[in-house]
Amino acid sequence: MNHGPLLFLGVLCCVVASWLGLVVGPHFQFGNQDLVLIEETGASYPSARDGLALQGAEVYRANGCNYCHTQQVRGASEGADIARGWGKRRTVARDYLRDRPVMLGNHRFGPDLANLGARQYTTNDLYLKLYNARLLHPRSVMPRYPYLFEERPLRPGAPPSPDALQFPEGSAVPANVEVIPKADALALVAYLQSLKSDAVFFEVFPPPQPPAATNSVSGVDTNAPALGDGTNAAPAMGAEAPANP
Amino acid sequence: MSSPALPVSPPIADPAPPASPAEIDLSCRWPVGLLLFCASGWLLFAGVVGALATIKLHAPGLLAHWPMFTYGRIQPAAWNAFVLGFGLQAGLGIALWLMARLSGATLVGTGSIILGTLTWNAGLKVGLLSVLMAGGTGMETLELPRFAVIILFVGYALIAAWPLVVFQRRRRGDVYPSEWFFVAALFSFPWLYLAGNCLAVWYPLRGVLQAAAQAWFTHGLFVGWFGFLTIGVALYLLPKISGVALPSRNLAGFGFWLLAVFGFWGGAQRYFAGPLPAYLTAQGVVATVLTVFPMIAIGLLVWPVVQTSRKAIFSVPAGRFAVAGLGSFLAWGGLAAINCLSPVRAITQFTLAIVALDHLLLWGAFGLTAIGACYYLAPQVIGRELPFAGWISWHFRLATAAVLLHVIAFGVGGLIQGAGLENPDKPFIDVMRGWIPFAGMGTLAMTLQAVGGLLLFANVVAAVVAQARAAVVPVAQEWLAPGAPRAEVRP
């Protein structure tokens, strides 16, 4: 191996081969994936996000939410994600067709968010989580994001703003201050509420057991999918399909 | 790896006798000295910012009012400061000097290298600032925005062309194994970084293919830059310090080619059980397990050297650093292979254990080896002994303790976290509270790294200042001496 060109070409081949195999090959395999039509609803999946939610995705990216939160649900045989109520099924490549950038995340220092929009959080709950997650869950490890909100004194006599956060009973927030979400918070919450990877189509089918068993867990962030969200059950699943409540 | 089919000593470009080490060191003084100075500065910065980021894991309220210091911005900043600030610049500086020494040719392109270093640092600074100010791309290890990456490429081209020129002008017939690794690393990085940025960020592929491109890039960088340089430096330093030759050139070639063939394929296992097709992650698992074989080859290659002259190697700080670094690298190979097996990965996926593995490679394998090499070449390049030589041993103790502490704490914490995540009856909050103490140990480890970085930086700065004084003061004294020519007052 005393020949520079030989060395160069050998390494070139190694790098290019891996690039062809891991990036270019898969691109030709499923880079042309298209939206799928859900027959029951007549809508195509994944559905487009509205403008505010798209701005929210930018806020999510800019603040690096993906360094603590994943957006991927592993199958029932590979992890407890479904049992924890983070989704009804595993996530597949088609779920991310509209994401740019795709923020799958590698670390779970917080719960998975792939189906956050399908969980029973009110908009106010999500604002509270961003403003100070400990208001809802005293032991939460999530940082506060006060810079997404405006704290301003209540004007004497004037009614509080309709946009102000509704604090739970007993929270130590001064009574003469109201907290208004800024534009970034509005957009981010719109994006979080748009996170749903629960449509059922030919590629994915729900695991054998419905995740209802996790309702016994009283911990946070293990909410079972929202009630009344049964419109997606495809007829192809036949008798084995779990009956959505 | 000289196969019988090839001529034993191939034609070399310059048949002149090899340049003397003193000549080579003199030619390296400014460019390599500048790269060393910048790299050690970034090491200190990465340690401080890394400690700050780790604090945020267990004290999330710290500096919460400052968007700049939110975990999702400061963590990528710390990561990129280490990878692109210390990793690339220390790697380039070491590669420049070693390529010149091993090729027996003086370094050329000094001005271009200095300009490239300044360009690289400018690009990195604006890029990191942009990440801290909401401009990150959201792709791990590819966070820097496009304008910064383009500046980085210009800087890299201005620097990295020259070690290849030196290699081409080598005056020794035999290419030393370290040089294979350096050439491979110098060539792999721009390809990986360009393809990764293009396909994951600039002109992103559709959907999860971006993640595939990002995983390919990250793992390629781990093996193709950090791994190759770690081995290249260790294969030079250990025989050099001990005076014992590597037992087999063929074994080195075997390890090199096997690592090059398998190493770049391991990326997709980062998305184990994720939305990528299963065959991709399976490919990653196979490649990562197969990477153990080149690791064994490198281990067998170095073991006799360390074994026969343990005393000589351990008496020099650089030797200790190189042994610890190469040991970390082999440990990383083994642990990565175990980690990617699906029963293990099901536990460790998404936990601190993955952070621990990355840390073992970056701060452990490459960090220790490169710091050792910096201490080894700084006195020769700057032309003066380091003023605080006693601190070097302390830096070794701090850095190895920090790596051990970080990897063990995050490894154990990650396993606890993973076991908790796997148990759906355990409330999520309890799982999260469970790893908090281990994150605290990580902060301690990063603080030790920052202190160690300060020792290196102070040494380099003091040596440069002392050398500059030694050059400037006699001249100034001569100019200002009573008998020196005066500028008389004119009528």
Side-chain angles (χ1 to χ4, degrees), chain A residues 216-239:
Chain A
S216 61
V217 180
S218 56
V220 291
D221 291 321
T222 56
N223 313 39
L227 297 174
D229 190 18
T231 49
N232 289 333
M237 294 181 302

Side-chain angles (χ1 to χ4, degrees), chain A residues 11 27 32 36 38 44 66 93 127 131 137 163 166 184 196 200 216:
Chain A
V11 176
H27 171 66
N32 60 351
V36 59
I38 308 286
S44 56
N66 54 323
Y127 285 136
Y131 179 66
H137 315 298
D163 300 330
Q166 310 288 319
D184 276 1
K196 276 178 206 166
V200 176
S216 61

Side-chain angles (χ1 to χ4, degrees), chain A residues 101-127:
Chain A
V102 169
M103 290 175 281
L104 293 180
N106 262 324
H107 306 296
R108 278 189 184 153
F109 303 143
D112 186 85
L113 300 182
N115 285 293
L116 185 68
R119 288 183 220 159
Q120 292 163 309
Y121 283 117
T122 64
T123 310
N124 190 59
D125 281 348
L126 291 175
Y127 285 136

Side-chain angles (χ1 to χ4, degrees), chain B residues 14 36 149 173 188 387 434 474:
Chain B
D14 195 343
L36 267 185
V149 174
S188 306

Side-chain angles (χ1 to χ4, degrees), chain A residues 153-192:
Chain A
L154 267 175
R155 279 166 297 169
S161 161
D163 300 330
L165 266 59
Q166 310 288 319
F167 290 103
E169 292 292 320
S171 47
V173 178
N176 56 349
V177 170
E178 61 179 359
V179 178
I180 315 284
K182 288 186 191 167
D184 276 1
L186 292 176
L188 182 55
V189 166
Y191 171 68
L192 294 176

Side-chain angles (χ1 to χ4, degrees), chain B residues 398-459:
Chain B
L398 285 172
T400 41
V403 169
L404 272 179
L405 180 64
H406 194 289
V407 170
I408 292 173
F410 273 35
V412 173
L415 290 178
I416 292 174
Q417 182 190 1
L421 282 173
E422 283 313 283
N423 176 6
D425 296 328
K426 190 170 182 182
F428 186 74
I429 288 280
D430 289 348
V431 179
M432 292 297 106
R433 302 297 307 190
W435 53 259
I436 294 286
F438 298 98
M441 290 184 230
T443 301
L444 178 61
M446 290 311 294
T447 312
L448 296 182
Q449 288 286 14
V451 174
L454 185 63
L455 298 183
L456 174 64
F457 189 59
N459 251 320

